[in-house]
């Protein structure tokens, strides 16, 4: 990436030689005229819109090699100095996949929309606007107007333009972009002890209310309240004490009376979530709620070589066991069982333990061997799952744009983008703790509200 004045003929010749050696080249941050020059000289080079805002900065140029080495320069002399004067340019470099500079700059190459090269606004302006809209808690028309009022009429797109651009993100490409961005975030902390050992994760489904006609809306689902409708998204989150990141996001497509969707296959959603998350960190245990009480889910998790702890719905079989426990004055019982489905089979257990509410008995399913003496203590691990509910509150309350659009592409983009902002907040909080006193616990030092204030003030600079 470079500003136009620093793209010399020597550099172009060097790029041509590299291309002739089979090097894959991506170039950005130059004018349309210079892009034409480069594409004529290097037909195989890929031109893309940089996610870096170059205007009104002292930026110089950036080089990244194989995603491992970076060199970033800035112009430091007055505007009267020659840009090609070596004394007018200074640079820093970074090396290694976990180097902070490398990690940050690799994120610049993610989340490209694939929009035309001659667009009025680069992708970065849309991402800035989306960040602002999500953090100030307003809709697109109002957010775009407020953003343009503070940054200038020509700085950002109109609300309608923004929505049209958002619709150009393919849903799978969007999920892939989130996955790539999350990989950059996780790489910053993989050296920490908590990420060198297998983690405990929680899977859940959250809803975004939908109001309107459901005809022709295959991604709209029913809810537990039969009169309500919603978009549904599944996530897998870390529920360790120190850094509750969301590692994977999946849209949920259910069968409803108003569409022709096949019957819900929640185990397939679980498979995609765990497969994605295991590319970032090793997973030892997965916690789910009763919505995932399914033999197919149990077998899917077993096939993925992870343990599970999932509360089971009380049916006639479980009720008979509970009645026998009451007859013999037992508080805890362990029942051996097995799963047999088309995807395979494995031994499992049902754990009958006192409910944490103090009334009745709760039944858990697990593929670990747990004895009666340790069953109650083991099932207390499920209490960690409450963190995912707090995460949904933060995502929706602090980072999710207030969108009323019926277009699913817009709703998916807004939710995934909000989760990414949430992850950035949690990573920032983690790095603050690590840098100050090393004390790690779930409670943040930097609150979501404070993070919103900091980022929003950076997007909207003071007069």
């Amino acid at each position: 990436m470079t500003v136009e004045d620093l793209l010399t003929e020597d550099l172009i010749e060097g790029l041509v030689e590299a291309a002739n050696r089979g090097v894959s080249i991506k170039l950005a941050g130059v004018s349309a005229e210079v892009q034409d020059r480069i594409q004529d000289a290097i037909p195989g080079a890929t031109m893309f819109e940089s996610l870096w805002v170059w205007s009104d900065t002292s930026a110089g140029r950036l080089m990244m090699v194989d995603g491992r080495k970076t060199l970033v320069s800035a112009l430091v002399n007055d505007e009267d100095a020659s840009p090609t004067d070596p004394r007018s340019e200074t640079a820093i470099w970074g090396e290694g996949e976990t180097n902070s500079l490398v990690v940050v700059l690799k994120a610049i190459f993610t989340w490209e929309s694939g929009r035309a090269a001659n667009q009025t606004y680069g992708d970065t302006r849309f991402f800035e606007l989306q960040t602002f809209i999500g953090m100030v808690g307003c809709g697109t028309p109002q957010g775009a107007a407020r953003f343009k009022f503070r940054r200038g009429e020509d700085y950002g797109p109109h609300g309608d333009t923004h929505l049209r651009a958002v619709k150009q993100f393919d849903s799978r490409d969007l999920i892939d972009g989130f996955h790539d961005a999350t990989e950059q975030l996780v790489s910053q902390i993989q050296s920490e002890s908590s990420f060198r050992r297998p983690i405990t994760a929680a899977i859940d489904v959250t809803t975004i209310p939908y109001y309107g006609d459901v005809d022709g809306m295959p991604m709209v689902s029913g809810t537990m309240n039969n009169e309500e409708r919603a978009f549904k998204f599944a996530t897998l989150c870390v529920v360790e004490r120190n850094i509750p990141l969301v590692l994977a996001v999946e849209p949920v497509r259910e069968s409803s009376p108003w569409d022709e969707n096949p019957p819900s296959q929640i185990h397939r959603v679980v498979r995609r979530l765990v497969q994605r998350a295991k590319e970032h960190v090793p997973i030892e245990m997965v916690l789910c709620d009763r919505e995932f009480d399914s033999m197919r889910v149990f077998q899917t998790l077993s096939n993925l070589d992870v343990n599970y702890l999932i509360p089971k719905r009380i049916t006639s079989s479980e009720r008979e066991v509970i009645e026998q426990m009451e007859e013999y004055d037992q508080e805890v019982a362990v029942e051996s069982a097995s799963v047999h489905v088309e995807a395979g089979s494995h031994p499992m257990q049902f754990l009958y333990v006192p409910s944490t509410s103090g009334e009745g008995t709760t039944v858990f399913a697990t593929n670990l061997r747990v004895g009666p003496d340790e069953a109650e203590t083991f099932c207390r691990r499920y209490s960690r799952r409450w963190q995912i509910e707090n995460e949904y509150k933060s995502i929706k309350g602090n980072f999710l744009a207030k969108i009323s659009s019926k277009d699913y592409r817009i709703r998916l983009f807004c939710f995934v983008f909000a989760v990414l902002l949430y992850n950035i907040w949690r990573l920032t909080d983690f790095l603050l703790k690590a840098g100050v006193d090393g004390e790690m616990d779930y409670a943040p030092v930097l609150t979501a509200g404070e993070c919103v204030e900091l980022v929003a003030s950076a997007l909207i600079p003071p007069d």
Side-chain angles (χ1 to χ4, degrees):
M1 302 180 190
T2 181
V3 293
E4 183 174 343
D5 290 342
L6 295 179
L7 187 66
T8 64
E9 290 299 329
D10 288 343
L11 278 179
I12 292 179
E13 290 177 6
L15 292 171
V16 171
E17 293 175 1
N20 291 337
R21 297 195 305 271
V23 176
S24 175
I25 299 172
K26 289 186 176 182
L27 298 168
V30 292
S31 67
E33 293 78 10
V34 176
Q35 287 185 17
D36 291 340
R37 270 177 55 207
I38 293 175
Q39 288 180 320
D40 288 340
I42 320 169
T46 300
M47 308 302 299
F48 71 98
E49 178 64 30
S50 167
L51 304 191
W52 191 326
V53 179
W54 295 90
S55 59
D56 301 323
T57 73
S58 58
R61 46 189 166 180
L62 162 102
M63 180 174 68
M64 173 171 282
V65 180
D66 295 338
R68 293 184 55 86
K69 295 183 179 181
T70 60
L71 187 68
V72 184
S73 77
L75 302 176
V76 295
N77 285 353
D78 294 336
E79 294 181 357
D80 294 337
S82 170
T84 56
D85 183 348
R87 292 172 298 172
S88 69
E89 189 179 8
T90 189
I92 57 175
W93 66 278
E95 182 175 8
E97 292 182 351
T98 60
N99 177 274
S100 297
L101 180 62
V102 174
V103 168
V104 172
L105 295 182
K106 281 176 72 174
I108 295 174
F109 290 90
T110 64
W111 283 63
E112 296 172 43
S113 65
R115 293 161 55 241
N118 61 347
Q119 73 273 23
T120 302
Y121 300 102
D123 284 353
T124 182
R125 299 295 173 88
F126 292 93
F127 295 144
E128 285 185 57
L129 176 56
Q130 185 66 34
T131 302
F132 177 74
I133 292 172
M135 288 189 165
V136 301
C138 65
T140 302
Q142 184 190 44
R146 291 169 61 181
F147 198 61
K148 291 168 77 73
F149 177 75
R150 294 300 301 271
R151 294 305 298 261
E153 187 65 27
D154 297 328
Y155 186 82
H158 185 273
D160 291 341
T161 304
H162 180 70
L163 294 178
R164 284 196 299 272
V166 167
K167 292 177 184 178
Q168 295 185 41
F169 282 91
D170 177 80
S171 59
R172 294 315 308 176
D173 289 344
L174 186 63
I175 298 300
D176 290 342
F178 175 83
H179 177 75
D180 293 341
T182 301
E183 178 65 27
Q184 307 308 320
L185 298 179
V186 173
S187 67
Q188 279 280 57
I189 52 175
Q190 282 181 329
S191 61
E192 297 297 327
S193 60
S194 59
F195 278 84
R196 290 198 296 268
R197 64 177 186 271
I199 58 98
T200 298
I203 295 176
D204 204 353
V205 175
T206 191
T207 59
I208 306 296
Y210 172 82
Y211 306 99
D213 190 358
V214 295
D215 289 339
M217 299 294 293
M219 298 306 296
V220 173
S221 302
T223 66
M224 295 181 65
N225 183 335
N226 293 330
E227 297 181 357
E228 295 180 354
R229 304 289 182 261
F231 295 110
K232 293 186 177 181
F233 306 100
T235 63
L236 184 148
C237 313
V238 180
V239 289
E240 300 292 334
R241 286 178 56 82
N242 52 11
I243 182 163
L245 289 177
V246 179
L247 296 179
V249 178
E250 276 292 323
V252 176
R253 185 185 181 103
E254 293 183 340
S255 175
S256 304
W258 53 83
D259 57 43
E260 297 181 355
N261 293 344
S264 300
Q265 303 286 332
I266 193 64
H267 67 285
R268 294 178 178 172
V269 173
V270 170
R271 182 188 302 116
R272 289 192 292 269
L273 288 171
V274 175
Q275 286 175 334
R276 285 285 199 180
K278 287 183 74 173
E279 293 180 26
H280 302 309
V281 298
I283 298 176
E284 183 266 333
M285 171 73 75
V286 169
L287 311 174
C288 307
D289 67 9
R290 285 185 179 85
E291 184 175 359
F292 297 86
D293 173 18
S294 159
M295 291 297 178
R296 287 183 173 182
V297 170
F298 300 160
Q299 187 61 44
T300 295
L301 292 171
S302 177
N303 289 344
L304 292 168
D305 197 29
V306 298
N307 303 318
Y308 57 81
L309 182 63
I310 301 175
K312 196 175 186 308
R313 299 180 182 92
I314 303 297
T315 64
S316 57
S317 299
E318 287 73 41
R319 196 169 290 110
E320 288 180 7
V321 175
I322 293 173
E323 290 174 356
Q324 291 179 6
M325 291 172 60
E326 292 173 349
E327 182 179 348
Y328 292 99
D329 198 26
Q330 288 180 284
E331 289 190 341
V332 177
V334 175
E335 183 182 37
S336 296
S338 60
V339 175
H340 295 275
V341 295
E342 63 274 13
S345 63
H346 70 275
M348 62 176 299
Q349 290 182 315
F350 294 135
L351 311 179
Y352 294 76
V353 297
S355 171
T356 54
S357 66
E359 298 182 1
T361 299
T362 301
V363 185
F364 287 93
T366 182
N367 56 342
L368 285 172
R369 293 189 61 83
V370 181
D373 294 339
E374 55 188 352
E376 188 172 1
T377 300
F378 176 76
C379 290
R380 287 178 188 155
R381 297 185 66 178
Y382 187 75
S383 63
R384 300 180 188 178
R385 202 196 131 282
W386 65 268
Q387 294 180 14
I388 200 171
E389 303 298 340
N390 283 351
E391 291 169 13
Y392 286 150
K393 289 179 182 178
S394 291
I395 290 167
K396 296 177 183 179
N398 296 293
F399 305 107
L400 182 63
K402 303 300 185 289
I403 302 295
S404 59
S405 172
K406 297 179 181 180
D407 193 304
Y408 179 71
R409 293 169 295 180
I410 295 174
R411 292 301 191 100
L412 175 64
F413 177 89
C414 290
F415 181 77
V416 172
F417 201 88
V419 175
L420 183 59
L421 294 177
Y422 167 86
N423 277 350
I424 292 173
W425 162 50
R426 279 299 192 176
L427 175 66
T428 303
D429 177 69
F430 179 88
L431 294 176
L432 280 174
K433 292 174 182 175
V436 176
D437 55 19
E439 289 293 325
M440 299 298 172
D441 55 28
Y442 177 78
V445 173
L446 175 70
T447 67
E450 291 169 337
C451 181
V452 167
E453 289 292 332
L454 289 170
V455 176
S457 62
L459 291 172
I460 306 294
D463 294 335

